[in-house]
Amino acid sequence: MNRHLISAADLSRDDALLILDTADELARMADRPIKKLPTLRGRTVVNLFFEDSTRTRISFEAAAKRLSADVINFSVKGSSVAKGESLKDTALTLEAMGADAVVIRHSASGAPQRLAGWVRGTVVNAGDGAHEHPTQALLDAFTIRERLGRLAGVNVSIIGDIAHSRVVRSNIHLLTKMKANVTVAAPPTLIPAEIEKMGVRVVHSLDEAVKGADVIMMLRIQLERQGKLSFPSLREYYNTFGLTPERLRRANSEAIIMHPGPMNRGVEIASDVADDPRRSVILEQVTNGVAVRMAVLYLIGGAHNIE
Amino acid sequence: MNRHLISAADLSRDDALLILDTADELARMADRPIKKLPTLRGRTVVNLFFEDSTRTRISFEAAAKRLSADVINFSVKGSSVAKGESLKDTALTLEAMGADAVVIRHSASGAPQRLAGWVRGTVVNAGDGAHEHPTQALLDAFTIRERLGRLAGVNVSIIGDIAHSRVVRSNIHLLTKMKANVTVAAPPTLIPAEIEKMGVRVVHSLDEAVKGADVIMMLRIQLERQGKLSFPSLREYYNTFGLTPERLRRANSEAIIMHPGPMNRGVEIASDVADDPRRSVILEQVTNGVAVRMAVLYLIGGAHNIE
Amino acid sequence: MNRHLISAADLSRDDALLILDTADELARMADRPIKKLPTLRGRTVVNLFFEDSTRTRISFEAAAKRLSADVINFSVKGSSVAKGESLKDTALTLEAMGADAVVIRHSASGAPQRLAGWVRGTVVNAGDGAHEHPTQALLDAFTIRERLGRLAGVNVSIIGDIAHSRVVRSNIHLLTKMKANVTVAAPPTLIPAEIEKMGVRVVHSLDEAVKGADVIMMLRIQLERQGKLSFPSLREYYNTFGLTPERLRRANSEAIIMHPGPMNRGVEIASDVADDPRRSVILEQVTNGVAVRMAVLYLIGGAHNIE
């Protein structure tokens, strides 16, 4: 297996399955009284975050600590990077200090890829610009497989800000590789050109997207990333692309509802839908995120140790 | 024992005694060469701080680490909460990630109580608005009992900003439950209406409060919480409600001096009093805080494990 | 051995050698599969940083964790110190919470010294104003000795902002103690008065400094500390005091190049020089920094434990 995880696009089907199966085993550990494994004892995982993302940072931190790794958090604000140090020098410095794995979140697409070219240790992409967020796609695939028993042939509809979402790109790469049928839906201004070439169906209404779906994946409206709104108003967005209980009735009766979080309740999703005890798997996604990240760190961060 | 610690008001006398007795045993551990117990190994404690309080956060962090828990610090600034996520979604997300206990500091009274209604894990209130700060009251009770040998019948005078202090409210609840005699003293503008109903004596001069006291607990003037001063000036405050060596002579010769910290030297307390080697127990309070928080995490955070 | 490390000036030659020899042994550990030693298990190291320095903080954090200490990071922003608490009260509070060692970075020269006068535990200076940064000097000496086999008689030229650099002061103290020959070079405005009294040779051109040098130590231009530039422009600085491949030819053919980082590439050092695979030891300095800090924490932070 590759010693980095940069993108779902580059991940082979076999490696993806290995990660999902390993996560399956690790998830069972969460029920034991002692949730800790000694696997990465003596190894150091650095969370190098150029963007704030407490949720993702904590998920990786919890995953690494359950594998007994030492975790060092490096938030870039006020660091030497802010004093003008290059990404390369930061990367080489962390490696020289003994970082075995660097988990990087960066606003620039491609930053994790460049990092991986500089260091001998492991690099895990925790989200880069509008490019990819591969562990999110893996935890989504894990959750779908766990709930529906399979990925092949499953109808997955992804709805929202398709144009600015790294979550979407990673999910499309991984899900199509796993033979799922992917539909994306958004207002025309939030659909990137030529996305059909990625092997997905494009629709422009929520109703069309929901109809026949086994999985409805709602995206966060990321106001902070868009600069300005590409649609008239949040209320208008809710009225046309928000997932309400009424609209949900058009989906298969067993369809599950997903969201990468954090949610804007009343914008892209109604609270009653988000909290649906039978269909919403949003909190399961969070739980599975820790297991999937443990699997990733275990397989690529500790490989030289395990063999 | 309840699996949360939200308020001293809700704490039974027996549970309070159990915490104090357990803290007593744990405090002895601090003298051993290895100060660590394996009790909470594999458990995750999240410090969820919506207000800055390095002192309280570090005390809980040290307590959890000495019990071998994994600790994750979550300061809300720049987090998804700042992006508009609700407290409930944050809480459920942390639980889904495997947080066994959440230690919460929040500017809104009642936030820990609401949190406890949402999660299955343990919630510990580390201070909520002007409501409660129960571990502070427990460490204060611990310190008094350790120094004076008892709580029942002890005369405790609490002096300062009674109106805005969660420390005072928690202390009144706990100390009266323990049969101590509590007096509060402040300028009239800093005394809340109807506080006598909590079973305390109210006086309006420092001299009256100090006279006959076994314990003199000075409060921090929290300029940042008041918005504006309720008294003419800091110098004026010191002249009338600051604890000076001269005023201290009216107390019992064995009276001890307490302060929850951080101190404003020369405002609510003279430096000579704060540093009195025989009577000031201010640093003992800090030390006991770690032991009391260990006891709380041990008893409620690890209960299902220990039995 | 003293239980604090405040300055290279106060460090005896024997103690410095003991630290370097211990670091030597600990550095070998980095090649083992499990890089952790149980030495400081149950001990708490607090990183008390009044100035941002992610690089130094992470180096100490990694060092402490490899010795199995619990590490608590205390960044002063938004803490009770910001609420006006004195350094003394902060120090005594940390000690009362059980901090066995405090690693302090402070903008005021002398802060670590004062801290050491107040606490019974260990204090390590991680940089104080323009005064000292003793672990930097130790890691530099370690790196020189490792590369050149000795310190006595080695010609070390330190070039850059001599006037504002704690790194320079610590290096001069330690290197002269070790019988190295130290030359400093800078524009006249960046040379402090009477520096010759420290036992160094002063020159005012880079070429003179480089000629015959075995070690060329470039300093960071610390724009943030100077307030305003003491030289016309960064380009002017590079043209006269930047280390370029051409200028490097005047040094001994085996001369090594050092920099404490973070580098301003193209200001004090050319990228080709910084990345010279044979001569640049800049990343080795970073690696050695962790080993040296482990040695310091091991020898002074755990002494009462080890004996």
Side-chain angles (χ1 to χ4, degrees), chain C residues 118-135:
Chain C
W118 296 320
V119 300
R120 282 159 301 165
T122 284
V123 175
V124 179
N125 181 1
D128 61 329
H131 177 227
E132 282 238 27
H133 191 358
T135 58

Side-chain angles (χ1 to χ4, degrees), chain B residues 36 52 55 65-66 265 287, chain C residues 70-71 78 85 89 96-97:
Chain B
K36 243 174 139 115
D52 284 322
R55 172 188 284 260
K65 285 182 170 172
R66 270 189 224 162
R265 290 164 177 267
T287 299
Chain C
D70 288 322
V71 178
E85 192 180 51
D89 282 338
M97 283 180 188

Side-chain angles (χ1 to χ4, degrees), chain A residues 33-36 52-59 61-62 65-66 68 77 105 220 222 224 261-265 275 283-284 286-288 290, chain B residues 38 41-44 46 68 70-80 83-86 88-89 92-100 305:
Chain A
I34 303 286
K35 285 178 280 188
K36 245 175 139 118
D52 283 323
S53 177
T54 308
R55 173 188 282 260
T56 303
R57 191 262 298 167
I58 290 179
S59 182
E61 185 174 349
K65 285 182 170 171
R66 272 189 220 162
S68 302
K77 287 175 189 167
R105 158 72 58 110
R220 171 179 179 75
Q222 293 181 294
E224 68 277 15
M263 290 185 274
N264 298 304
R265 290 164 177 267
D275 299 334
L283 288 172
E284 290 169 37
V286 175
T287 299
N288 296 336
V290 178
Chain B
R41 211 174 103 72
R43 298 196 169 266
T44 300
V46 174
S68 301
D70 288 323
V71 178
I72 290 180
N73 290 316
F74 182 157
S75 171
V76 165
K77 286 176 188 166
S79 76
S80 51
K83 294 180 196 167
E85 192 180 51
S86 71
K88 182 174 179 180
D89 282 338
L92 294 176
T93 298
L94 290 175
E95 177 156 85
M97 283 181 190
D100 298 289
N305 201 19

Side-chain angles (χ1 to χ4, degrees), chain B residues 189-208:
Chain B
T189 51
L190 293 179
I191 294 269
E194 311 207 336
I195 192 163
E196 292 90 344
K197 291 189 179 163
M198 292 183 77
V200 304
R201 183 174 70 116
V202 179
V203 299
H204 290 293
S205 92
L206 181 73
D207 287 350
E208 258 186 291

Side-chain angles (χ1 to χ4, degrees), chain B residues 33-37 52-59 61-62 65-66 68 73 77 105 220 222 224 261-265 275 282-284 286-288 290 293, chain C residues 38-39 41-44 46 65 68-80 83-86 88-90 92-100 305:
Chain B
I34 304 286
K35 285 179 279 190
K36 243 174 139 115
L37 284 178
D52 284 322
S53 177
T54 309
R55 172 188 284 260
T56 303
R57 192 262 297 167
I58 289 180
S59 182
E61 186 173 347
K65 285 182 170 172
R66 270 189 224 162
S68 301
N73 290 316
K77 286 176 188 166
R105 157 73 57 112
R220 173 179 177 74
Q222 293 182 293
E224 67 277 16
M263 288 184 276
N264 297 304
R265 290 164 177 267
D275 300 334
I282 295 171
L283 289 171
E284 291 170 36
V286 175
T287 299
N288 296 336
V290 178
R293 283 161 185 140
Chain C
T39 321
R41 213 175 101 73
R43 299 197 170 266
T44 299
V46 175
K65 285 181 170 173
S68 301
D70 288 322
V71 178
I72 290 179
N73 290 315
F74 182 158
S75 171
V76 165
K77 286 175 188 167
S79 76
S80 51
K83 293 180 198 168
E85 192 180 51
S86 71
K88 182 174 179 181
D89 282 338
T90 301
L92 294 176
T93 297
L94 290 175
E95 176 156 86
M97 283 180 188
D100 298 288
N305 201 17

Side-chain angles (χ1 to χ4, degrees), chain A residues 16-305:
Chain A
L17 279 172
L18 178 60
I19 293 170
L20 298 184
D21 291 345
T22 305
D24 232 353
E25 286 183 50
L26 292 168
R28 272 176 232 135
M29 205 182 71
D31 300 327
R32 288 197 226 154
I34 303 286
K35 285 178 280 188
K36 245 175 139 118
L37 285 178
T39 320
L40 297 186
R41 212 174 101 72
R43 298 195 169 267
T44 299
V45 175
V46 175
N47 286 322
L48 176 60
F49 274 56
F50 289 79
E51 286 188 330
D52 283 323
S53 177
T54 308
R55 173 188 282 260
T56 303
R57 191 262 298 167
I58 290 179
S59 182
F60 272 106
E61 185 174 349
K65 285 182 170 171
R66 272 189 220 162
L67 295 171
S68 302
D70 288 322
V71 178
I72 290 179
N73 290 315
F74 182 157
S75 171
V76 165
K77 287 175 189 167
S79 75
S80 51
V81 180
K83 293 181 198 165
E85 191 180 51
S86 71
L87 179 61
K88 182 173 178 180
D89 282 338
T90 301
L92 294 176
T93 298
L94 290 174
E95 177 156 85
M97 284 181 189
D100 298 289
V102 175
V103 175
I104 179 174
R105 158 72 58 110
H106 203 289
S107 60
S109 300
Q113 179 68 56
R114 290 200 303 279
L115 198 69
W118 295 320
V119 299
R120 282 159 303 166
T122 285
V123 175
V124 179
N125 181 1
D128 61 328
H131 177 228
E132 282 239 27
H133 192 358
T135 58
Q136 178 72 41
L138 284 161
L139 74 88
D140 289 338
F142 182 94
T143 305
I144 296 170
R145 194 178 76 160
E146 192 181 51
R147 270 298 189 117
L148 305 182
R150 69 191 198 290
L151 288 165
V154 168
N155 296 319
V156 181
S157 289
I158 309 177
I159 297 157
D161 182 355
I162 307 296
H164 303 88
S165 172
R166 51 194 172 208
V167 173
V168 172
R169 293 179 58 87
S170 288
N171 260 299
I172 292 175
H173 285 303
L174 186 62
L175 288 170
T176 54
K177 206 167 281 180
M178 295 306 190
K179 313 293 181 202
N181 309 311
V182 180
T183 299
V184 299
T189 51
L190 293 180
I191 294 269
E194 312 208 333
I195 191 161
E196 292 89 344
K197 291 188 179 162
M198 292 183 77
V200 304
R201 183 173 70 116
V202 178
V203 299
H204 290 292
S205 92
L206 181 73
D207 287 350
E208 257 186 293
V210 163
K211 195 176 164 191
D214 302 308
V215 175
I216 302 169
M217 190 184 292
M218 303 306 294
L219 298 175
R220 171 179 179 75
I221 287 295
Q222 293 181 294
L223 305 175
E224 68 277 15
R225 188 168 301 148
Q226 289 196 105
K228 61 174 198 244
L229 284 170
S230 303
F231 41 85
S233 73
L234 292 180
R235 167 162 293 275
E236 169 77 7
Y237 186 84
Y238 182 67
N239 286 338
T240 52
F241 277 90
L243 187 63
T244 60
E246 298 70 41
R247 290 195 183 115
L248 187 52
R249 290 201 196 97
R250 294 186 177 92
N252 292 337
S253 65
E254 298 302 312
I256 59 173
I257 297 143
M258 304 180 78
H259 191 295
M263 290 185 274
N264 298 304
R265 290 164 177 267
V267 180
E268 69 262 6
I269 191 165
S271 267
D272 284 353
V273 173
D275 299 334
D276 183 314
R278 191 172 61 85
R279 300 176 128 200
S280 169
V281 298
I282 295 171
L283 288 172
E284 290 169 37
Q285 289 173 273
V286 175
T287 299
N288 296 336
V290 178
V292 160
R293 284 161 185 139
M294 286 175 76
V296 168
L297 292 172
Y298 175 90
L299 290 167
I300 72 179
H304 24 314
N305 201 18

